[in-house]
Amino acid sequence: MALAMVAIAGLAAPLWSGAAAQDGDQATVVDARVGDHGDKTRFVLEVTAPRDFLLHAELAPHRLIIEFEDLGWPDAASAGGAGMIRGYECTAMQLAGMRCVLTLDGPAAVRDIFYLPATGTVPFRFVLDLEPSDDETFAQLVSTPVRAELEADPVPVALGIPLPPRRPGSQAPVVAIDAGHGGIDPGAIGVSGLYEKTVTLSVALLLRDMLEATGEYEVFLTRDDDTFLRLRDRVRLAREADADLFISLHADSTEGDSIIRGASVYTLSDRASDQEAAMLAARENRADALGEIALDPDDDMMAEILIDLSQRLTQNESNLLAELMVEHLGEATRLLPNRAHRFAGFAVLKAPDVPSVLIEMGYLSNAEDEALLASEAHQQAIAGSIADAIESYFTWLADLQRS
Ligand code: ZN
């Protein structure tokens, strides 16, 4: 039988990287609900950790069956439904795992299926959105089960440990824009002499103007002129400004290969996604050496553990932000082939409680990229796509808090 593998952003391993689930850890369902949202019916399972699942369909009556590996539900339940779902029943499977059978009132199509990351006291959520369809579409689901596999063991969520809200009130979100390099640190230097620090500042200023024009954000710039800033000061300034997002702007350069071009978006990881990414992080982090002071190791063990926990929660948000950035940047500029969302240990991404991404807007070592990055029209396009991604991110966040 054919299997459809789903590539779900929320299922990418890095969303839950950082620590592997311990052997024998049983993930459990905490709650379930069905909601009628008009044009879609949503089935939600709150779980302590995301698990692989297989979804298939049966006819007469129309039913969807979702089988989760290594997932249990002490109060395995059945309940009535809403919208297109007449009711559901979740029971333990013979060997391991759990099966949920949703009885539908007709043929449905899977509009969306994903895990939402845990935030604060809210656990991970398995979300299935259904919309009405026809028998032909439903028949495809019957013949082609959907299998979703997590690529790595997810991080189990410690439930019942409320994290303090990042800040009280609900003012306009604060977006921190960090123009890379500056002052004595020019950053990369293009094939015809363009400085990275010049491009990053231009785009930062354009982006600030665009975001401020919407009236929906407060914008904080780590620098708005040609000054030198240490990496840790960039992070500190953004945190002091109560930033909800941290966006660091850069342009890449590579020696000996002037053909490589395209934009990429980085999020924090202990392990770089490849050697090139590790070298890039080393290059960007080296900027601090110019400020004569290395990052200071002011960590006693407890602080490190707390920061680690907080960082992991923030990382879920950073990764989603990065996926949105890649999606929107792709409309404005060429992306680095293969994987435009990458992972590396950039010092500037290490704020434990502020979702952060680093954008390499293109390669100054490539003549075409350099010419584009020098043009105001292209800088406008890039700034516009970043602004779009920021808007999508906050829409997603609002959605998340409602669901
Ligand atoms: Zn840079």
Side-chain angles (χ1 to χ4, degrees):
M1 197 188 304
L3 276 184
M5 296 292 296
V6 282
I8 302 169
L11 287 176
L15 278 182
W16 294 291
S17 68
Q22 282 162 15
D23 281 345
D25 255 4
Q26 165 88 298
T28 56
V29 177
V30 180
D31 198 8
R33 57 182 170 270
V34 178
D36 182 1
H37 295 257
D39 58 336
K40 69 181 181 198
T41 300
R42 174 168 281 195
F43 176 67
V44 178
L45 287 178
E46 291 189 352
V47 294
T48 55
R51 287 292 182 251
D52 297 349
F53 61 84
L54 178 74
L55 179 146
H56 56 107
E58 284 177 7
L59 282 165
H62 293 91
R63 299 198 300 176
L64 287 180
I65 294 106
I66 314 157
E67 291 173 353
F68 295 89
E69 289 174 18
D70 309 317
L71 186 65
W73 195 358
D75 310 312
S78 58
M84 301 195 63
I85 299 174
R86 273 192 209 153
Y88 65 89
E89 185 174 16
C90 296
T91 49
M93 289 193 286
Q94 206 138 49
L95 291 173
M98 185 184 79
R99 175 188 291 117
C100 288
V101 179
L102 314 184
T103 307
L104 310 177
D105 68 0
V110 174
R111 184 199 277 195
D112 236 335
I113 187 165
F114 56 95
Y115 280 103
L116 284 172
T119 53
T121 53
V122 182
F124 290 94
R125 278 141 297 161
F126 166 85
V127 180
L128 169 66
D129 282 340
L130 300 176
E131 59 189 6
S133 82
D134 47 54
D135 278 316
E136 200 180 326
T137 312
F138 195 76
Q140 282 172 14
L141 207 51
V142 173
S143 61
T144 313
V146 175
R147 173 157 197 90
E149 258 173 42
L150 303 164
E151 288 169 16
D153 283 336
V155 176
V157 199
L159 289 175
I161 305 173
L163 289 174
R166 203 174 286 149
R167 75 192 59 77
S170 56
Q171 306 105 331
V174 179
V175 178
I177 305 168
D178 174 50
H181 311 277
I184 55 166
D185 170 21
I189 300 175
V191 276
S192 61
L194 180 64
Y195 283 175
E196 179 182 356
K197 67 172 183 177
T198 312
V199 180
T200 59
L201 184 58
S202 301
V203 176
L205 296 174
L206 290 169
L207 179 57
R208 175 193 64 188
D209 294 347
M210 282 178 191
L211 291 175
E212 282 182 348
T214 67
E216 283 170 43
Y217 310 100
E218 227 181 276
V219 179
F220 173 78
L221 293 182
T222 54
R223 69 175 179 102
D224 60 3
D225 58 12
D226 185 21
T227 48
F228 176 78
L229 266 177
R230 287 174 306 176
L231 298 175
R232 61 170 175 163
D233 286 335
R234 296 169 188 267
V235 178
R236 181 180 55 78
L237 288 170
R239 293 195 68 236
E240 282 170 6
D242 270 348
D244 292 278
L245 281 188
F246 181 84
I247 295 161
S248 190
L249 299 172
H250 288 260
D252 208 349
S253 165
T254 180
E255 271 166 46
D257 195 348
S258 59
I259 291 168
I260 294 179
R261 57 180 300 202
S264 49
V265 180
Y266 285 83
T267 48
L268 185 66
S269 168
D270 295 340
R271 283 185 328 199
S273 47
D274 56 37
Q275 202 186 352
E276 179 64 24
M279 282 165 59
L280 172 63
R283 274 203 303 280
E284 301 283 18
N285 289 348
R286 204 173 300 145
D288 257 19
L290 292 166
E292 291 169 9
I293 301 167
L295 295 170
D296 63 347
D298 54 1
D299 16 82
D300 67 77
M301 182 105 83
M302 199 54 186
E304 205 161 286
I305 289 168
L306 288 174
I307 285 173
D308 187 59
L309 174 68
S310 175
Q311 239 163 16
R312 226 180 295 150
L313 296 169
T314 305
Q315 212 157 316
N316 291 333
E317 290 167 348
S318 300
N319 286 329
L320 270 144
L321 177 64
E323 296 288 339
L324 292 168
M325 285 290 168
V326 165
E327 193 183 315
H328 288 278
L329 270 172
E331 292 159 10
T333 191
R334 179 190 291 248
L335 296 173
L336 201 62
N338 299 326
R339 182 124 184 93
H341 175 193
R342 302 160 77 82
F343 305 89
F346 289 111
V348 83
L349 296 177
K350 285 183 178 165
D353 50 359
V354 186
S356 306
V357 296
L358 184 146
I359 302 173
E360 296 281 356
M361 299 179 283
Y363 277 83
L364 290 172
S365 46
N366 174 271
E368 286 157 288
D369 265 12
E370 188 199 31
L372 281 171
L373 289 169
S375 87
E376 172 150 359
H378 189 72
Q379 292 174 356
Q380 287 268 12
I382 287 187
S385 69
I386 295 172
D388 287 345
I390 291 169
E391 196 197 323
S392 304
Y393 172 82
F394 282 111
T395 307
W396 168 83
L397 208 63
D399 236 32
L400 185 81
Q401 277 151 3
R402 264 199 307 274
S403 69

